[in-house]
Amino acid sequence: MRTNNDNLVEIVNLGKIYKNGSEELHILRGVDLKIARGSSILISGESGSGKSTLLNLIGGLDRPSYGSVKVGDFMVDHGSEEEMTAYRNQQVGFIFQFHYLMKDFSALENTMLPAFMGGEAKEKALKRAAELLERVELGDREDFYPSQLSGGERQRVAVARALINEPDIVLADEPTGNLDEKHSEIVAELLFDLSKFFETTLVVVSHDLSLAKRADRHLRLNEGVLKG
Amino acid sequence: MNYLSRANFLGFRLLFHSRASKKTRSHIIGAILGIGASLIPLIVVIQVSGGMIEGISRRFLEIGSYHVQLRSFTELEEEELNYAAETLKNHPRVKHVFPVIFGEGLLYSEAGKTGVSIRSLPADIYEEDEGLRRYLDIEEGAFRLDEANQAMLSRELADRLGVSIGDRVRLLTARPVPGRAPILRPSIFNVQGIFSTGYYELDSLSMYIPVDTGRVLFHESGGVVLGVKVERPFENIETLAAELRDSLPPFWQIYSWFNLERPMLESFYTTRNLLVFVMFLIVAVAAVNISSSMIMLVIEKEPEIAMLKSMGTSPRLIVLSFLHTGLFIGLAATIMGLALGLLAAVNINELIGALETAINMVYALVSRIIAPTAGGAEELSIFDQSYYLEEIPIRIRFVEIFYTALSSLSLSALAAYIPARKAGRIRPYEILRKH
């Protein structure tokens, strides 16, 4: 039974300003957000509304201009480079719109990379990666390189890779944005089902409002301001 | 260990499985070829100069200065000389002790005359001294100094005087007389053998005569020298010389080959070090290619690096991975450079011969075209044998190869450091936004 105190993510007055010469671009304006552990949330909004920036701030890829982000016990906005590296490896799984698979690595190696880079023995990481590829129904594509996979297959590899370290939170940036309707359905189903299976908190930012029916919550981001 | 294996895995993949653009790939291949090619002359210079220095040094040791020389500046009785020789022979490292008398003179033949540097040697030295035998090539006749008027001449000397085996030569020597002009003394010698050491400086004015004849001719002029040959002359020779000195009466002065030949050796090694330094600079310049090709690789791999960072790969591991990539490039270049360099070094005599033949053919052809009526073109020689060995002795020194390989790999790692650091500093969100 989840309680209000069982929030994995606590964002307080989060803001991000980019400077373009003398001009200041306020991408996020005082965002407050709590995300319950194990829940799924869809954040939609137009291009440039700050969705990806919010995801990057939660994932520790960028630093806020003001405000704070706390994931579990870790203050993301205050972490050292070393702590951020460990946080991204152990607590976060990323899925991006353009797949971003490593083109020099096979599907199996791409999937095992976060575990291997986190210090797990290669053989063990490969074994777990193979299991995950089976789960995303790509067991027969283990040795294929990204260029040999379809867009949907690549995104399924990205889902498997995001989950290999069983992170607390998966951050998906337009995970179906580059796929046709049929493959979008397959990837979305896998993403939400596997997140539930691994009891992972899922944050999806997307234009695709059809994902709303799968998410526990749906928020909108408009010009850097979050609305329920 | 696991950390290194991860860096190795990434570095290897980034290079060898790289779907990098043709341009980047050709830059990487260019860097490998550049370093490899620059290593070839370095290896050749190190091995050839080492071989030449060793070849010249050994000749000087065995024929010129000997391993150790004992000089007495007082007149000695025969017994004192024998006592010294017997005492020295008791040392376990001493192989052979023999008297030598040095002198100068003017040598005449019907064809001409020239100054000569004379060594008076015992008749059995050629049989007894394996070192002398190895480096003294008897080109004509035999090593024979059994009779008072027998002489051995160097090839250079024989050619200059136009004499061959059985011919007679006249030697004019000077006997110093205190307070008066020296008394000149003519002697006649029969040429028994013509020799060559392969090194001009040792050959050019050399004449050997029997030691007893030398005693008569040069008794008053310089005293007797005892030449000593020892086991392992390159090993602790100074200590050995000190031990030998301690075993003899104090009027003996003792000099090791190192004392006697130090200026020559130092001059050789200074020249060699300068050459190696210049060649090493060329390798260092070639290593810059690694830097530029890896910068291109890093720029191309930015999305992958950003991805690796987003999945929690530490900047340190990324730096290390690219250092590994640089090392792999350096390793490929080093293997190529060493293999080709060694191949060139071990065949240097044939290569020089082939090059001289080719140059002379072109030169002769050009001479015939430019001046068809002139006589045959003079033969060109890359190495003037007046100053170098007739044949370069090659002995591969694995320690030097090891240090060359180590230097090349270190330079590669150093050249890879800047792009590797650049890779480690990539901010993932900036790259992901850009792509």
Side-chain angles (χ1 to χ4, degrees), chain A residues 3-4 10 18 24 28 32 40 48 55 60-61 80-81 95 103 135-136 139 141 172 176 194-195 203 208 219 222:
Chain A
T3 66
N4 281 345
E10 289 184 21
Y18 285 114
E24 285 192 340
L28 290 176
D32 292 303
S40 58
L55 222 57
L61 291 179
S80 66
E81 184 69 47
I95 300 166
K103 53 189 173 187
R135 278 192 180 276
V136 297
R141 297 279 196 276
T176 59
L194 283 174
S195 295
V203 181
D208 185 358
L219 302 173
N222 187 21

Side-chain angles (χ1 to χ4, degrees), chain A residues 3-223:
Chain A
T3 66
N4 281 345
N5 291 334
D6 198 15
N7 288 324
L8 176 73
V9 181
E10 289 184 21
I11 296 171
V12 179
N13 189 32
L14 189 69
K16 181 71 188 177
I17 303 165
Y18 285 114
K19 286 187 179 167
N20 186 11
S22 58
E23 195 186 353
E24 285 192 340
L25 297 170
H26 290 256
I27 306 297
L28 290 176
R29 299 163 190 263
V31 170
D32 292 303
L33 175 64
K34 288 179 179 171
I35 304 171
R37 192 181 290 275
S39 69
S40 58
I41 180 169
L42 171 71
I43 299 170
S44 62
E46 290 179 4
S47 292
S49 59
K51 305 187 298 289
S52 296
T53 303
L54 177 61
L55 222 57
N56 287 343
L57 292 175
I58 298 171
L61 291 179
D62 199 357
R63 304 259 183 188
S65 303
Y66 56 88
S68 67
V69 180
K70 188 179 166 198
V71 176
D73 296 325
F74 181 60
M75 293 302 294
V76 180
D77 52 300
H78 279 88
S80 66
E81 184 69 47
E82 216 166 293
E83 288 169 336
M84 297 291 254
T85 297
Y87 163 70
R88 286 199 295 264
N89 184 257
Q90 296 302 317
Q91 288 181 258
V92 184
F94 278 103
I95 300 166
F96 298 97
Q97 180 178 0
F98 298 107
H99 329 304
Y100 285 125
L101 295 184
M102 307 277 288
K103 53 189 173 187
D104 299 326
F105 296 80
S106 69
L108 184 69
E109 288 167 338
N110 260 290
T111 308
M112 71 92 170
L113 271 176
F116 185 50
M117 291 301 132
E120 201 166 298
K122 194 175 172 189
E123 294 312 312
K124 204 173 157 194
L126 282 171
K127 193 173 168 227
R128 283 179 36 68
E131 286 167 10
L132 271 164
L133 283 178
E134 284 291 342
R135 278 192 180 276
V136 297
E137 294 166 14
L138 287 174
D140 57 342
R141 297 279 196 276
E142 276 184 2
D143 297 327
F144 282 44
Y145 282 85
S147 59
Q148 298 167 305
L149 298 170
S150 70
E153 286 170 336
R154 280 183 232 167
Q155 200 60 309
R156 276 145 68 189
V157 175
V159 171
R161 184 178 66 185
L163 288 166
I164 192 162
N165 281 344
E166 295 181 22
D168 294 333
I169 187 167
V170 167
L171 305 170
D173 190 355
E174 300 281 8
T176 59
N178 219 26
L179 304 176
D180 59 31
E181 200 177 328
K182 183 185 153 198
H183 287 105
S184 290
E185 273 297 310
I186 295 169
V187 168
E189 192 179 335
L190 270 172
L191 180 59
F192 279 89
D193 286 356
L194 283 174
S195 295
K196 278 213 163 52
F197 178 82
F198 286 109
E199 295 178 340
T200 298
T201 305
L202 177 64
V203 181
V204 180
V205 300
S206 180
H207 286 101
D208 185 358
L209 295 177
S210 70
L211 294 174
K213 64 178 188 262
R214 298 181 185 276
D216 296 334
R217 281 165 78 193
H218 178 197
L219 302 173
R220 284 176 187 79
L221 197 58
N222 187 21
E223 292 184 349

